[in-house]
Amino acid sequence: MTTHQPDHRFTRPGALIAALPAVLGFVPEKSLVLVSLEDREMGAVMRVDLPKVMDGNLTHLADVAAASGADTVVAVIIDADGASCPMCNQDYRDMCDELNAALADHDMTVYATHVVDRIEAGGRWHCVDGCGRFGAVEDPMASPLAAAAVLEGRRLYPRRSDLQAVVAVADAGRAASLVPAITAHAQARETDWRADPDGCGRRDVEAAMAIAARVSDGADLEDAELAMLACALTDVSVRDTLYALAVGAVAGNAEALWTVLARTLPDPWRTEALVLLAFSAYTRGDGPLAGLSLEAALRSDPEHRMASMLDTALQSGMRPEQIRELAGAGYRLAKRLGVRLPPRRTFGRRAV
């Protein structure tokens, strides 16, 4: 699920459907998308693979939708094959009946259900209940939400798999080869940490910020630097301090570093990089990247507390401004360690 500032009205289904790629971060295919209505405007958006819900099991989706706090949703079925198949409408209606029943348990209703063949300019949609309404999908790249995404520096991907590749390990062989270096550095760091925990943490935070600036400029990291960072992120004080960078003036540098580490480090060390990346993406409103980063982190460590907490927050539609408050703990830890973090940056409302 992802969240978005309520800035798009629901008077034109073709416009609503065209807005989905900008909200999800990719062009959905073979999907059921639920868009919650908050004062007749776009609230939380949830997507699930269509085959998973055509066989039933809509209870969990209804639970997630209810957690958004909305009482009404619009359902969009994306299916290139089924959209042109009149007989498939009955399957869609049966699914929607089950969805309505599941949502009714939460005092929620489905405002409308649209079936669309493809989300691109000229794609065709129609209502699933035989109301007779149909039309063309507007140009997704001309959507106000797409413009807002571009202004925020977010990239829109053709497919979900393209977005998943952003957080996938780039070279499994190199990742595996880092294990001996990480293990050796961990042993040496343990000695330093026992002698001076705060000093060790301070050096690691300062080193991480310096390396982040270099990565942002396009520098490649040596194995020794990767090993140092992998070990540093296992130190709770260091890791929790680094969360604060997500709301600071050099948040982009930090996110670039977390992305490199998520794609380079082996498990279990990459988990912390994935969660840092998720937190950074979440605080700037990039729910799709945050969600996929958390999904990868929880595959590696299902019990990870921060990943689980952020995933629950994302699933329930918690706003980025609420998540940013967690960065305050990082600033307090930095003060204890004697580290000067970049000043906080100002977050404004999204463009509409």
Side-chain angles (χ1 to χ4, degrees):
M1 185 180 79
T2 187
T3 61
H4 200 279
Q5 293 284 2
D7 59 7
H8 198 90
R9 296 189 178 276
F10 288 81
T11 55
R12 304 192 315 274
L16 165 65
I17 295 168
L20 295 181
V23 180
L24 293 170
F26 57 92
V27 180
E29 301 174 320
K30 283 284 186 181
S31 301
L32 170 64
V33 177
L34 296 187
V35 182
S36 66
L37 299 181
E38 300 175 10
D39 297 324
R40 300 294 298 274
E41 295 181 323
M42 182 178 286
V45 178
M46 296 139 277
R47 188 210 70 89
V48 65
D49 291 336
L50 190 58
K52 291 182 179 179
V53 290
M54 289 300 288
D55 295 333
N57 194 26
L58 287 158
T59 302
H60 176 66
L61 184 61
D63 292 342
V64 174
S68 71
D71 58 10
T72 309
V73 300
V74 170
V76 179
I77 299 168
I78 305 103
D79 186 0
D81 299 322
S84 59
C85 167
M87 294 182 63
C88 296
N89 262 355
Q90 186 57 52
D91 292 335
Y92 297 145
R93 283 193 286 270
D94 290 344
M95 180 185 70
C96 290
D97 288 343
E98 183 179 346
L99 177 62
N100 268 305
L103 289 171
D105 290 338
H106 298 282
D107 297 321
M108 299 180 71
T109 59
V110 178
Y111 177 79
T113 302
H114 310 300
V115 181
V116 60
D117 56 356
R118 64 193 189 282
I119 302 184
E120 60 183 57
R124 303 297 298 177
W125 66 269
H126 65 267
C127 63
V128 76
D129 60 3
C131 70
R133 295 187 66 199
F134 62 91
V137 177
E138 297 183 14
D139 185 357
M141 295 310 298
S143 163
L145 298 188
V150 171
L151 288 173
E152 293 168 358
R154 290 200 290 124
R155 181 179 173 186
L156 304 184
Y157 293 86
R159 297 176 182 82
R160 188 170 187 264
S161 59
D162 296 317
L163 179 55
Q164 288 174 314
V166 173
V167 299
V169 175
D171 185 340
R174 189 189 181 197
S177 72
L178 290 170
V179 172
I182 295 172
T183 303
H185 188 89
Q187 294 172 345
R189 188 184 186 279
E190 177 70 14
T191 301
D192 293 342
W193 184 86
R194 289 185 180 278
D196 183 6
D198 286 353
C200 184
R202 180 172 59 254
R203 290 189 294 273
D204 282 345
V205 172
E206 291 173 344
M209 289 192 294
I211 293 172
R214 288 177 45 229
V215 167
S216 185
D217 288 336
D220 293 325
L221 299 186
E222 301 291 335
D223 287 2
E225 293 175 309
L226 291 166
M228 183 279 293
L229 290 166
C231 295
L233 297 188
T234 64
D235 184 321
V236 175
S237 294
V238 173
R239 179 198 65 197
D240 289 357
T241 300
L242 292 172
Y243 279 118
L245 296 180
V247 300
V250 294
N253 292 356
E255 187 167 319
L257 177 58
W258 311 146
T259 303
V260 168
L261 296 181
R263 302 200 68 206
T264 308
L265 294 178
D267 285 331
W269 296 279
R270 72 182 293 258
T271 301
E272 299 299 346
L274 284 164
V275 182
L276 282 160
L277 175 58
F279 183 74
S280 181
Y282 200 158
T283 60
R284 62 179 175 79
D286 192 341
L289 179 56
L292 287 175
S293 299
L294 292 170
E295 182 181 299
L298 289 169
R299 276 200 306 269
S300 176
D301 181 2
E303 305 301 321
H304 194 287
R305 290 183 61 187
M306 185 63 164
S308 297
M309 183 188 71
L310 290 175
D311 187 58
T312 299
L314 190 65
Q315 293 285 345
S316 64
M318 187 174 289
R319 300 294 185 185
E321 54 267 27
Q322 296 171 282
I323 291 299
R324 290 175 203 140
E325 296 175 5
L326 297 175
Y331 279 93
R332 291 190 293 271
L333 279 169
K335 185 176 182 180
R336 193 200 79 190
L337 294 176
V339 176
R340 185 173 182 176
L341 295 180
R344 290 176 181 256
R345 59 192 174 115
T346 302
F347 291 84
R349 287 182 59 85
R350 290 187 172 195
V352 296

